[in-house]
Amino acid sequence: MPDGRRTPGHRLGDVSSDTPPVAKKVPAERTHHGDTVIDEYAWLAGKDDPDTIAYLEAENAFTQGRTEHLKDLQEAIFQEIKGRTLETDLSVPTRKGGWWYYSRTEEGKQYGIQCRVAATGDTPPLLEAGKPLAGEEVLLDGNELAGDSPFFAVGTSSITPDGTTLAYSTDFSGNERFTLRFKDLRTGETLPDEIPDVFYGGAWSSDGSAFFYTTVDDAWRPYRVHRHLLGTSAEQDVLVYEESDERFWVGVGLTRSERYLVLAAGSKITSEVRVLDAEYPTGEFAVVRPRQTGVEYSIDHAGDRFLVLHNEGAANFELATAPIDAPDSWTPLIAHREDTRLMDVQAFSDHVAVHFRRDGLTGIRVLPGEGEPYEISFPEPIHTAEPAGNPEFHTGRLRLAYASMVTPPSVYDYDLTSRELILLKRRPVLGGYDPDHYEQFREWAVADDGTRIPISIVAKKGTERPAPTVLYGYGSYESSIDPSFSVARLSLLDRGLVFAVAHVRGGGEMGRRWYDEGKLTRKKNTFDDFVAAARHLEESGWSSGIIARGGSAGGLLMGAVANLAPERFIGVVAEVPFVDALNTILDPSLPLTVIEWDEWGDPLHDPDVYAYMKSYTPYENVQDRQYPPILAITSLNDTRVLYHEPAKWIARLRATAKGGPFLLKTEMGAGHGGRSGRYDAWREEAFTLSWILDRAETDKAPETGEST
């Protein structure tokens, strides 16, 4: 490990905020497949080493000094975000059993408050801005739980089927290691049961006597499922299942009917599901169908059958049914289509809702208990729609989430009898926001191999083109960056910038094929697509200069395109960026590495994969050439993309490349998602947006009028 190769006693020393920190070089040699590589910045992985902390603090001081002139702009943007946000607000209540559940926020408080009120019928209570509902019962107040902690997050919040007990877990450092507790909702008392170091999620038995949860191994892989009996100590918890294959992770939940507990094991390409009658929590889980490499499936329960969403012989997935007593016998219900990717299925007592995507957009198909299936129509040609907040099994309504690049997040109920969309709430945007003052577009770039790449674009009407443009990208894990609305983004649009999303391969926007063509030894398609999108925006007259932005695996994209085509960009923002991918994927002891081999390949055992990854990973390919200014943002406690990846990358850029400046900002008390409080998060976003506007070379004030 790097700790053993540092020079003893070497300290960074005092560094002026006007002077770029210079990372010491401590050669660390590694050899793989006959290739010897010197990693002179490997010592930065020593999180507990004073040298490392001193270096990160010096980088923070340098970044602060180089952005000092943006302080007024940062404050202005923060006030714009804050001023457009209804700080005291409520979510639309969701019915579960005899209660309406919702969350609310209060002005001046960082965290949300989880609440409920008694319920009858399907029609949610009327909301009045800024006021809690009559008869409110507070379940969890994040502000009280957080106390004075600089970081706070809830990992699990799950209520027993009878509504009497709440299981919840908390994290106070950002490392995603949660402590599980239980609250008696009849008395308000927090029970003595306490379980440390649990993962996200969990599920109750039917009678609320047992709670199932997961824990992780040293590589931060959820691999064990435990059963906790309420009122007993954690030491007495029973290990229900342990996954020995390091490529697989596990999770546990309930079918929507709450009839069956579901224990799912999955790798990036293979699934295996077990079920157990939730009325018998001490019983044995039974396998639905044994794992078969390359076959993914998930289940839900509907009456006398299971619904199975699977990809056996169906790349874009097929929906099948299976008898309860023969769950491995699958009969097609919705056949596979080349142009439609089935994403999810939700079973209700009298209907089934299927979430799908087609032509780069999402949609919802309804299978009524009686009658022909049909698709729900939505008002805008570019949008995002999905089922959301539907815990109740017996209901005549389907709750939907909807948004576009100009329409704020909206909550609809779809009446299954009248087939009417009922708008329950659209997120308020204060300050006179009018969606008619903005416009969204769909463009198509052409990659070098002839593939057409969709681009979603939003701008304020009347924006003079070509204009400075922020181009966002991700392109991994089949995750789609669907058209969405952002309050913070208005601070860019109102200053004359264009915002665009490149829906590059490696994501899932165009179906499973889109994902397959941007992973493993076709990963470079992701980077080529992004460069093609940038080229299209410039050549079609949209963009006068492009600032690229992406995070996590999208941060790898940022580093790769900075190496591939630095001349295309006037700035790059890389947030918690996966830029040292080769070294990370070579080390099976690191969090998530073995799981990730199905996504990136296995360079440890396959020399061809090693050579391919080495040819594109950002840290390995920094060159002695002109680079645009780069801002890298990371967090010291991140367990997904470790802080030392961007730290090493920036150090190598500064030592090798021309151009810049190359800035590193490390949150010293946060995790993968950055700062946890909403006001802190807004300030962090204001910092990033001010840097982007500085790169766009505009100090233009936002246009005044109804839209601001």
Side-chain angles (χ1 to χ4, degrees), residues 397-510:
R397 291 187 173 192
L398 178 66
R399 179 66 56 82
L400 307 177
Y402 176 90
S404 75
M405 300 187 86
V406 300
T407 301
S410 308
V411 178
Y412 285 93
D413 268 358
Y414 182 74
D415 190 300
L416 292 154
T417 301
S418 66
R419 299 192 179 183
E420 175 188 9
L421 274 173
I422 304 166
L423 179 63
L424 300 177
K425 182 174 182 177
R426 180 157 289 147
R427 180 184 295 174
V429 181
L430 307 183
Y433 173 76
D434 185 343
D436 289 338
H437 293 174
Y438 301 82
E439 51 191 348
Q440 56 183 346
F441 305 88
R442 172 58 60 89
E443 294 266 336
W444 295 83
V446 179
D448 292 341
D449 65 359
T451 302
R452 298 177 73 236
I453 313 301
I455 309 171
S456 296
I457 303 172
V458 63
K460 189 165 188 175
K461 288 182 178 177
T463 296
E464 184 177 346
R465 303 178 198 163
T469 300
V470 175
L471 181 60
Y472 188 89
Y474 187 75
S476 292
Y477 306 114
E478 203 181 359
S479 295
S480 300
I481 309 299
D482 292 313
S484 63
F485 181 84
S486 166
V487 163
R489 187 191 301 152
L490 297 175
S491 293
L492 298 180
L493 304 184
D494 287 353
R495 288 175 171 83
L497 271 69
V498 168
F499 181 87
V501 177
H503 302 289
V504 295
R505 283 175 284 183
E509 287 90 339
M510 300 289 286

Side-chain angles (χ1 to χ4, degrees), residues 293-329:
T293 300
V295 175
E296 301 168 65
Y297 70 95
S298 60
I299 71 158
D300 204 353
H301 168 241
D304 61 353
R305 61 184 181 172
F306 288 123
L307 297 176
V308 184
L309 191 64
H310 71 89
N311 70 339
E312 185 178 38
N316 275 333
F317 286 72
E318 175 181 272
L319 182 62
T321 63
I324 297 295
D325 58 357
D328 60 342
S329 179

Side-chain angles (χ1 to χ4, degrees), residues 224-296:
R224 285 177 170 172
V225 175
H226 308 259
R227 181 180 63 238
H228 175 76
L229 296 181
L230 212 58
T232 65
S233 68
E235 289 76 15
Q236 295 175 274
D237 290 356
V238 174
L239 176 62
V240 173
Y241 178 80
E242 180 173 335
E243 177 55 59
S244 59
D245 190 329
E246 293 182 353
R247 299 170 301 168
F248 283 71
W249 63 92
V250 298
V252 63
L254 278 171
T255 58
R256 295 184 37 73
S257 65
E258 296 184 333
R259 175 67 187 278
Y260 292 96
L261 288 153
V262 179
L263 194 163
S267 72
K268 296 291 184 183
I269 60 172
T270 305
S271 303
E272 184 176 68
V273 175
R274 290 169 168 78
V275 294
L276 172 64
D277 191 322
E279 292 185 359
Y280 303 98
T282 58
E284 295 292 327
F285 282 84
V287 176
V288 171
R289 182 184 280 193
R291 65 188 64 175
Q292 179 182 340
T293 300
V295 175
E296 301 168 65

Side-chain angles (χ1 to χ4, degrees), residues 562-600:
N563 289 332
L564 182 64
E567 71 284 353
R568 286 284 176 193
F569 308 103
I570 60 174
V572 174
V573 178
E575 296 164 287
V576 289
F578 186 38
V579 285
D580 193 19
L582 180 59
N583 282 324
T584 294
I585 299 300
L586 279 167
D587 186 350
S589 71
L590 291 177
L592 307 178
T593 286
V594 176
I595 288 175
E596 299 279 86
W597 283 347
D598 285 331
E599 176 78 17
W600 309 98

